[in-house]
Every structure is written in structure tokens, then in C-alpha cells.
Amino acid sequence: MFNTVEEAYDWLFQQKKLSKRKDLSRIERCCRELSLMPSFPMIHIAGTNGKGSTASYIKNILKHTDRHVGLFVSPYVVCFNERIQINDRMISNAEILYYANQLKEYADGYFHKYADCIPFFELTLLMALWYFKDRKIDMAVIECGVGGLLDATNFLPYDLAVITNVGYDHMNTLGNTLEEIALHKLGIVKENMTCLTCVEDALKPLFISYAERIHANMVFVDKEVKDISLKQHTWFTYKEVSYHAGLLAKYQAYNAALAIEAVRFIEPDIPYDLIQAGLESTFWPGRMEWVSHKPEILLDGAHNIHGIRGLVDSLKVLAAGRRVSVLFSALHDKDFKAMIAELDSIAARYYFTTIEDKRSTEPMEFAKFTKRPYQIVSSYTECLDTAVKELAEDELLLITGSLHFISSVRSYLMNKIQ
């Protein structure tokens, strides 16, 4: 039995798959044996980028309708508790400890009975479902971990599917072409289901063909998004109505539009002011987050080429006329060559560093792919301190390349600011 939440985390993080997942029978069996199969409505969200933001918009809008809305997302930026939320409340450490103890007892019995280990992500999902059941929520928004087709979340009976976009990421799992990756994402769309998406034009024929084959309703939201502008908020029109979202980036207009359409699927007559209140109040740490204005420091968790392109596109507006320094690190299994090539269009100089992760990349590897001036400091805290110290008054420091990296940097910065 765990006595502290740290002991619970140690156990959770050590739980690994014994073999590559080939189907969803294990998580479905666990859910049924624990009597956790949900009876409340659920929205399922997949996509290369924007899943967490879209899920948070949906949750924040629907909570204004007096619903208790469960939210399951991954990964986290600030703390594990972010993964499981109800309205504005994250699961507490005491609750994590309670459910981890229940799950440990069950997992030990499961291993004895089936000679199989329940891995971390599936245990976390079971924790969320158990918590949601005990709290008697009204509905849930569930984000995929990786892909869709064989993602552990994909066994549940969803009412609506949302696919934000498709880009190159997790190719070792999902495939080497956009079409292969898209088919994994499309795996969350079931027969006669509605799917909302902002997928790029080149993939729309594939999405249409897939929907026709399984008699699903495919709704492309992006063509109705217009007049995007970035000020203190992300302003845009959707279906000729003006909105502004609390998260700042061009791509947030599309995430917000998906959320608007998803909410209307659940509650068709929801008033405009509730939608707007939910969009405006949404905050998601590490997504185009200004952690300081004096000096100007911006964090963004872009960790693949699709996310970096969206970041660069927004910064060309937000940082127009200003010099941009980039503090960068990335995992070795990411296409950091392409990411740096994209960042070169806005970067005046780089600070390259490493991550406390077994998949970290030696900073010198990054330097091979830019002609911009750079410094290499292996310690990310020393690297950050150097970058901030050298920042000019009219200069912006962008920190990006990995969610894990910006999580560590954000924690360090927040402690310094306090």
C-alpha cells in the first residue's frame, strides 16, 4: 500500500507494456471487471497537435451550462494532476493516492491471473474513469494519447469524434506518410458517427472516402474560419459570427471552431455568450504562454514540424519588427532538423541545450542544422539564465522544441519569478 503520492507515482511510471499493443482487449477487460464502463456522453479527440487546447475549450464552454465535465488529457506540463479534471478542478494528490492504491491491488491480481502488466497510460485512464464515476459527472472529453486506432482510449462508446489535424509525429508507431498517420487518427471514427475536423485539404479525399465506407458524417470546419487576427486574444469569425479565444495563436482559431461545433453537437441551442465565456477563459500552460513581459519570454510546447510551423506562422505576426532568440531542445526521435529549418525564418540566434530524459539529444547535433549564431550550454537552467541575461529590451526569447523541456523550464522560471 502506498503512503504518499510520490510512492504512487513511482509505481505508476514503472508500469510498462510487456509487448506492443495489438488490440484493446486488455483495457476493455479491465474497465468491465472494475465496472467502469461509462454511461455518460463522451467526446473523443485525436490529432497531431491542438488536442489539449480543443478539449479544454469544449470543457470550459460546457461547464457554463452547469454540467460537470470530466477531462482526460496527456501529457501534462505542470503536474500529473492536469491529466484528470472536472470543470476547473484537477484531481487532488489525495485522490490520486486513493485510486492508485485501488489500482495497485487490481493490477497485482490481473498480473497473477493473466500474466500481463497494465501499463502506465491504461492505469491513468482507468483512474480517470473511476474518478469520473465516483464524482457522477455529466459528460467527458477524452484526448487520445498517440494515434487513435490502437490508442487505449479508443474502446469507449463515444458520441462524437474530433480530429484536429494530421502531421508528421510518432512515425515509429503510426507510419511514415500522412496517409498512414491519418488512417490511425481516423480509427476513432466509428460507423454512423459524426466526426469534426480541420484536416488539411490534401487529406480531405481520404477522410471523405473513409466516412463513406463506414457511413459516418464527416464535417470539415476549417472553411468557415475567417478573419483571424492576433491581439491580446485570438480573434476570428466562424460561420460569420465573431469570437475571441483566450489562447493566442492563429491555429487556435481552428481549435476554437472545432470546440464550438462540438458543443453545439451536445447542446444545439447553447447561447453565444456561454460559448464566448468558455473560449475567453481557456488557459493551457505551455501553449504560446507569455511567462514574462519584462523581459519578454514566450513558452510553446511545439515538438514536431507541424506544431513548429504553426508557432512560426503566429510569431511572424506577434513578433513583427522584433528580434527573436530561440532556446531550443528536442528529443532524438523528433525531426529537429526540419524544426530548426523552420525556426530559422524567425530566429536571430539560438541557445541549444539538453533535456533530462533518456531520449535527449546532444545540443551539438542541433547546431549542425542552422547558420544562425548559437551558444551551447548543456544545463538547461544555466542556458536559460544566460539567454535571459543577454536579452535586449526589444528582444523576445522563445523557448520551444519539447513538451518535457518546456515543462522543466516553466517550473524553473515560475520558481524564480516567485
Side-chain angles (χ1 to χ4, degrees):
M1 180 173 178
F2 309 122
N3 295 310
T4 68
V5 73
E6 288 76 20
E7 291 174 356
Y9 287 150
D10 286 344
W11 173 72
L12 278 169
F13 292 135
Q14 289 172 14
Q15 305 312 299
K16 310 290 185 184
K17 294 191 290 284
L18 299 182
S19 60
K20 189 174 181 179
R21 185 185 293 122
K22 296 179 181 179
D23 57 43
L24 302 177
S25 58
R26 177 178 54 225
I27 183 65
E28 185 169 5
R29 179 190 295 126
C30 293
C31 192
R32 293 194 183 281
E33 286 185 354
L34 290 167
S35 301
L36 298 179
M37 194 61 73
S39 58
F40 43 77
M42 290 184 292
I43 297 174
H44 202 193
I45 303 181
T48 301
N49 293 299
K51 299 187 297 295
S53 300
T54 303
S56 190
Y57 284 132
I58 295 170
K59 181 263 292 180
N60 282 335
I61 296 170
L62 286 172
K63 77 179 184 185
H64 283 86
T65 66
D66 293 327
R67 287 178 171 87
H68 287 85
V69 184
L71 179 67
F72 177 77
V73 296
S74 65
Y76 62 87
V77 173
V78 179
C79 59
F80 176 92
N81 315 61
E82 291 172 40
R83 291 177 176 268
I84 304 170
Q85 303 177 38
I86 299 175
N87 288 5
D88 291 328
R89 182 182 181 274
M90 293 186 290
I91 189 172
S92 69
N93 286 345
E95 289 162 333
I96 291 169
L97 180 60
Y98 170 78
Y99 289 109
N101 276 312
Q102 306 307 308
L103 286 167
K104 173 67 163 61
E105 182 179 353
Y106 173 75
D108 288 347
Y110 188 92
F111 185 83
H112 179 76
K113 186 175 182 180
Y114 300 107
D116 192 14
C117 178
I118 308 171
F120 166 79
F121 186 77
E122 294 179 25
L123 287 166
T124 308
L125 176 59
L126 290 169
M127 182 181 292
L129 294 174
W130 206 331
Y131 180 60
F132 294 161
K133 177 184 176 182
D134 287 351
R135 292 286 171 173
K136 297 180 171 57
I137 65 169
D138 299 310
M139 66 168 299
V141 184
I142 308 289
E143 177 190 334
C144 284
V146 174
L149 180 64
L150 289 177
D151 189 78
T153 60
N154 199 31
F155 77 98
L156 294 166
Y158 294 96
D159 297 81
L160 177 69
V162 178
I163 300 176
T164 56
N165 47 56
V166 176
Y168 289 104
D169 201 8
H170 301 292
M171 281 93 81
N172 58 331
T173 302
L174 305 181
N176 294 314
T177 68
L178 284 180
E179 289 74 14
E180 289 175 321
I181 297 170
L183 286 171
H184 273 275
K185 312 288 186 192
L186 282 164
I188 72 168
V189 186
K190 308 302 193 299
E191 188 173 353
N192 298 316
M193 197 178 203
T194 292
C195 176
L196 313 175
T197 185
C198 282
V199 72
E200 37 280 280
D201 289 346
L203 289 174
K204 285 180 179 176
L206 174 63
F207 272 57
I208 292 168
S209 173
Y210 186 92
E212 289 176 346
R213 188 165 68 252
I214 65 169
H215 308 289
N217 177 32
M218 192 66 62
V219 180
F220 299 103
V221 170
D222 53 303
K223 294 302 182 185
E224 298 282 358
V225 179
K226 300 174 183 176
D227 305 321
I228 303 172
S229 63
L230 303 179
K231 298 170 187 174
Q232 287 184 315
H233 298 93
T234 300
W235 293 80
F236 65 99
T237 60
Y238 178 64
K239 293 186 174 179
E240 308 303 323
V241 178
S242 178
Y243 299 92
H244 57 276
L247 298 174
L248 190 61
K250 282 188 175 180
Y251 56 80
Q252 290 296 349
Y254 296 96
N255 295 338
L258 285 168
I260 293 167
E261 205 61 47
V263 166
R264 286 177 176 161
F265 181 87
I266 300 297
E267 187 164 320
D269 298 323
I270 185 169
Y272 168 86
D273 61 334
L274 297 190
I275 294 175
Q276 183 50 65
L279 294 179
E280 188 174 354
S281 64
T282 297
F283 168 74
W284 203 242
R287 273 68 168 184
M288 291 289 284
E289 181 186 3
W290 296 96
V291 291
S292 172
H293 286 286
K294 288 185 179 181
E296 287 201 303
I297 303 174
L298 179 68
L299 289 178
D300 191 82
H303 55 281
N304 51 52
I305 185 59
H306 190 275
I308 289 289
R309 282 176 182 153
L311 168 60
V312 168
D313 189 37
S314 294
L315 268 184
K316 285 178 178 177
V317 176
L318 290 170
R322 278 181 288 175
R323 178 180 166 94
V324 178
S325 290
V326 179
L327 176 59
F328 182 88
S329 194
L331 302 177
H332 69 71
D333 55 355
K334 300 296 182 179
D335 189 4
F336 52 80
K337 177 181 178 180
M339 294 162 71
I340 291 169
E342 195 71 29
L343 286 165
D344 269 2
S345 66
I346 58 166
R349 58 178 170 174
Y350 287 97
Y351 296 87
F352 293 131
T353 189
T354 192
I355 307 172
E356 296 173 351
D357 190 287
K358 63 182 180 181
R359 294 183 293 157
S360 63
T361 306
E362 284 299 316
M364 184 55 74
E365 289 299 309
F366 305 137
K368 295 176 181 178
F369 303 110
T370 182
K371 295 181 179 179
R372 300 281 187 266
Y374 64 85
Q375 292 186 47
I376 294 175
V377 184
S378 293
S379 165
Y380 77 85
T381 56
E382 292 179 19
C383 193
L384 176 59
D385 289 342
T386 299
V388 171
K389 182 178 178 181
E390 296 180 353
L391 206 61
E393 284 189 12
D394 62 344
E395 193 172 8
L396 163 68
L397 178 62
L398 168 66
I399 304 171
T400 192
S402 160
L403 276 172
H404 185 149
F405 174 52
I406 67 158
S407 176
S408 298
V409 170
R410 188 182 189 278
S411 177
Y412 177 72
L413 273 172
M414 291 304 181
N415 286 333
K416 290 196 71 169
I417 291 170
Q418 292 172 359

